[in-house]
C-alpha cells in the first residue's frame, strides 16, 4: 500500500505490536503510515497537568483497557503516551516524525515511514 491510516485505534488492540508489524509489511518501500492518537505522555505522573487527564483515564479504564486486555493483550489504553507509541513504532521498523497540528491540540499525528 502507498498509505495506511489509523485514528485512535492502536491503543485499543489486543496485539498492537503485531498490528504495527503487519502495517510495516504491507507498506511499499516509499509508503507512509499515518497514526493519529491522543496527545499524552507515558506514565500517570507525567500527565498530572494534562487538562483532560481525569476524563481520558476514565474512558481508557472503562473502554480502551478492557478491549486491549482481551486474550491477554497489554491493555495500553488511550493514555499510552508518546514515548510508548514511539518505542512501539520504532520496534515495528518505522522512522517516525511526530506532528503537532495547531488545529488539533487533542491528538498527535505520527507520520511513519518504513526504515530501510
Amino acid at each position: 500500500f502507498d498509505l495506511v491510516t489509523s485514528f485512535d485505534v492502536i491503543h485499543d488492540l489486543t496485539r498492537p505490536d503485531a498490528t504495527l508489524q503487519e502495517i510495516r509489511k504491507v507498506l511499499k518501500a516509499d509508503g507512509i503510515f499515518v497514526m493519529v492518537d491522543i496527545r499524552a505522555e507515558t506514565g500517570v505522573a507525567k500527565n498530572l497537568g494534562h487538562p483532560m487527564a481525569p476524563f481520558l483515564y476514565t474512558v481508557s479504564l472503562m473502554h480502551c483497557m478492557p478491549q486491549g486486555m482481551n486474550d491477554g493483550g497489554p491493555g495500553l489504553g488511550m493514555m499510552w503516551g508518546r514515548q510508548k507509541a514511539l518505542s512501539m513504532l520504532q520496534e515495528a521498523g518505522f522512522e517516525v516524525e511526530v506532528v503537532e497540528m495547531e488545529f488539533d491540540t487533542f491528538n498527535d499525528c505520527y507520520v511513519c515511514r518504513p526504515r530501510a
Side-chain angles (χ1 to χ4, degrees):
F1 290 92
D2 295 312
L3 176 67
V4 175
T5 62
S6 73
F7 296 90
D8 292 321
V9 68
I10 300 297
H11 66 258
D12 288 330
L13 302 176
T14 58
R15 295 288 315 276
D17 51 350
T19 300
L20 294 172
Q21 291 166 6
E22 189 64 24
I23 291 168
R24 168 64 183 87
K25 269 201 269 185
V26 302
L27 275 178
K28 292 181 179 177
D30 61 346
I32 297 175
F33 169 46
V34 177
M35 181 181 86
V36 175
D37 218 301
I38 299 297
R39 181 173 297 163
E41 301 299 323
T42 300
V44 175
K46 293 180 183 175
N47 288 307
L48 292 177
H50 192 298
M52 296 288 292
F55 171 75
L56 294 172
Y57 276 109
T58 300
V59 172
S60 190
L61 181 63
M62 301 303 285
H63 172 73
C64 305
M65 292 179 70
Q67 288 288 111
M69 293 174 74
N70 279 328
D71 298 322
L76 294 173
M78 73 169 63
M79 296 299 279
W80 62 323
R82 183 182 287 188
Q83 296 81 3
K84 181 69 172 174
L86 286 170
S87 172
M88 291 184 73
L89 289 163
Q90 290 163 351
E91 286 176 24
F94 291 105
E95 296 290 335
V96 185
E97 175 188 2
V98 180
V99 178
E100 293 183 5
M101 300 168 289
E102 68 179 64
F103 62 87
D104 184 0
T105 58
F106 195 69
N107 293 298
D108 281 332
C109 180
Y110 298 82
V111 179
C112 310
R113 292 178 172 80
R115 192 171 41 239

